[in-house]
Amino acid sequence: MKIRKTLYKVKRKLLQVIYKSRNNKWKNQKVFKNIYDKNLFHKGEEINEVSRSGPGSDLLQTREIIKQLPVLFQKYSIKTILDIPCGDFYWMKKIDLKGIQYYGGDVVGEIILGNKKFSSNNIEFIQLDIIEDPLPKVDLIICRDLFVHLTNHQIFNAIDNIKKSSSKYLLTTSFKDRMVNNDIALMGKWRPINVEVAPFNFNYPIDEIFENCTEDNMCYNDKYLLLYKIEHL
């Protein structure tokens, strides 16, 4: 009788964990699907129909990344990449990915379906939630312009999940001149974050890409992509 009760409690706890995970995934998908459907990353004069991933994903704001990523790939012998969120693959398709296995991950299913036209032997798109889903083990995880939309707690959960993948490097957005990191109440909002200061304190990036961001009259010209060894986070 005791064994049966114990098994019942274990089963109930497991079902609660599964339900909670599914519920969180559904909420996360709903937030970013709403942003995608309503094109909320664009506002006023910034509207640019070439990409729904926001003005930071146009070819002007990604020009330095497009030039410097291949150099970084060669320097660190990158052969496998998880780009999450991949968005609509607008600027990434300008990068030569020959010899690299590329996985584009995004929480919005419609984005993944739309990206299937770019699929090839070495380019694959997968619906993934960076917080809730197991991530593939790769040489490099590119996580550009995502943590700025997550609460601090969600960022830490995402980092824990990234570590579980046993991947080697993380390349992520940071605004280096910000000395205070504000939190946001809800996923999907935005604020600049500096991953090198509290509460994140990601010390000792091993490399960086200066984006030379010109958005909002140069207000975000401290925007970088910082490269970290995941095992040191």
Side-chain angles (χ1 to χ4, degrees), residues 2-199:
K2 287 184 178 179
I3 293 175
R4 185 178 296 176
K5 285 184 177 179
T6 301
L7 289 173
Y8 173 76
K9 288 180 180 178
V10 170
K11 183 179 179 180
R12 185 175 64 179
K13 184 68 174 177
L14 180 59
L15 287 173
Q16 287 173 343
V17 170
I18 292 172
Y19 173 78
K20 181 176 181 295
S21 176
R22 287 177 177 172
N23 192 37
N24 285 341
K25 284 176 65 173
W26 179 81
K27 288 179 181 177
N28 298 348
Q29 291 167 13
K30 185 177 179 181
V31 167
F32 287 104
K33 184 179 185 303
N34 182 59
I35 291 171
Y36 174 77
D37 288 346
K38 296 181 180 179
N39 205 7
L40 296 179
F41 281 145
H42 293 290
K43 57 183 186 295
E45 69 279 7
E46 293 178 351
I47 290 178
N48 182 349
E49 291 300 334
V50 297
S51 173
R52 288 200 173 199
S53 297
S57 293
D58 66 25
L59 296 184
L60 173 63
Q61 302 305 334
T62 57
R63 65 200 184 284
E64 293 297 329
I65 307 172
I66 291 169
K67 285 192 299 185
Q68 295 185 50
L69 266 185
V71 177
L72 186 143
F73 295 162
Q74 185 173 13
K75 183 176 180 180
Y76 294 95
S77 302
I78 303 300
K79 299 299 180 185
T80 52
I81 292 170
L82 171 62
D83 180 17
I84 184 167
C86 62
D88 56 13
F89 199 60
Y90 179 70
W91 62 269
M92 183 62 77
K93 67 178 181 284
K94 300 293 184 181
I95 294 176
D96 184 2
L97 294 171
K98 289 177 183 175
I100 293 175
Q101 182 62 48
Y102 170 94
Y103 301 100
D106 205 288
V107 73
V108 181
E110 287 84 349
I111 290 177
I112 296 301
L113 287 174
N115 286 350
K116 293 294 185 180
K117 60 182 175 288
F118 301 116
S119 298
S120 65
N121 290 336
N122 68 310
I123 297 176
E124 182 180 350
F125 297 95
I126 314 166
Q127 186 173 5
L128 283 175
D129 184 321
I130 196 170
I131 299 173
E132 300 290 343
D133 290 327
L135 306 178
K137 180 181 178 180
V138 293
D139 294 329
L140 175 65
I141 295 178
I142 300 174
C143 193
R144 180 177 183 259
D145 286 344
L146 175 62
F147 293 162
V148 291
H149 294 293
L150 304 184
T151 68
N152 289 355
H153 180 68
Q154 289 168 333
I155 293 171
F156 283 116
N157 286 343
I159 292 298
D160 286 343
N161 200 32
I162 286 170
K163 288 179 180 179
K164 288 176 185 176
S165 75
S166 298
S167 297
K168 193 168 184 181
Y169 298 109
L170 171 67
L171 188 68
T172 192
T173 302
S174 190
F175 295 80
K176 295 183 71 170
D177 291 346
R178 318 295 157 140
M179 293 297 104
V180 176
N181 283 315
N182 297 314
D183 203 353
I184 51 176
L186 297 171
M187 169 188 279
K189 301 292 185 181
W190 183 91
R191 83 294 196 198
I193 63 169
N194 182 350
V195 299
E196 296 184 274
V197 301

Side-chain angles (χ1 to χ4, degrees), residues 208-219:
E208 64 184 32
I209 293 175
F210 173 54
E211 293 198 10
N212 196 15
C213 178
T214 61
E215 290 184 69
D216 290 344
N217 296 317
M218 308 292 286
C219 286

